[in-house]
Amino acid sequence: MAFRTLSITGGVAPVIAFLESLGFTQTHETLTFASKHVAATWLRPPNFTNGNGNGGGGGGTLYYPRIFVSELNVSALPPQAAEALVRVVSGGSGQVPVLTAEMAGRCICEGLRPWPYPTKADYDAILAHSDYGAWTAAHALNLNHAAVAIHRLAREFSNASKLADALKLQHVTLSEAGGIIKTSPDGLLLQFATQADAVEVPFADGTAAVSGAYIEFAERRPLPGFRHIPSGTWDEYSHLRDGFETGSADRIFEATQAKA
């Protein structure tokens, strides 16, 4: 799961604080996306089982997701985009609210908006310089994307290439930024994503269709010392490639960019 935030409203801090209250653990790994003026980190989930699991794929183990949280450095944007974001989050007052952990939690869990919908003009002014910023202005702390663990799927779909091909046969549009499948340098993390569909957003000056959320697919392969372990009995967090890859994540961000 992934959420986008803005530096001027507290950035990732209130979201992390809320997730930590649920038992998630911050990794303190920072990924930097300089061209997008974005930085990110991620959190490991609590170790929940129903009493039968051993950390593998069966036995009743309940897997909770890694959560990827990112933040746009608004001050790094050109003035017209930064000023538009301030107008949006302040409701035109110029007084920018800083979110608390409680408010972040309510936004994530209850769908509350921490700021009003922007005008389409402000959205477009932001979009001209930051797809990330425009998406966040429109959708706030709504879920940006969810990820499917390919390695947990049935055998015929447990390979990134096979699954991508199967989705294309079903006319699912996949993001082509950086190529369909993004592979980490070690070859152990393979990712791809759908292209975000357009959704209707009730802007302050009228409804318009803009990019919404999307679905990522991630195949985490066994680390060298665990390749002998049968598929489906891996421990998700110690036997398989963990974490994220900056180069791949950079292009997956672009799944919300409108196609030309």
Side-chain angles (χ1 to χ4, degrees), residues 9 18 36-37 55 57 64 72 85-86 88 90 93 98 113 123-124 130 132 175 177 183 226 238 244 258:
T9 58
F18 167 68
K36 295 178 172 62
H37 310 298
Y64 285 69
L72 174 65
L85 276 167
V86 169
V88 171
S90 70
S93 71
V98 175
R113 284 188 62 86
Y123 173 89
D124 289 338
S130 174
Y132 182 113
S175 172
T183 304
F226 302 105
S238 60
F244 295 88

Side-chain angles (χ1 to χ4, degrees), residues 150 153 156-157 159-168 192 217:
I150 298 173
L153 300 180
E156 61 268 32
F157 299 122
N159 172 281
S161 295
K162 290 180 180 179
L163 180 58
D165 288 343
L167 291 170
K168 286 187 283 188
F192 66 93
F217 301 86

Side-chain angles (χ1 to χ4, degrees), residues 74-87 122 125-126 129:
V74 175
S75 66
L77 297 179
Q80 55 269 47
E83 290 165 5
L85 276 167
V86 169
R87 278 196 300 274
D122 275 341
I126 301 163
H129 300 281

Side-chain angles (χ1 to χ4, degrees), residues 213-225:
Y214 60 95
I215 300 174
E216 178 191 339
F217 301 86
E219 178 187 351
R220 296 181 182 274
R221 293 179 173 175
L223 297 168

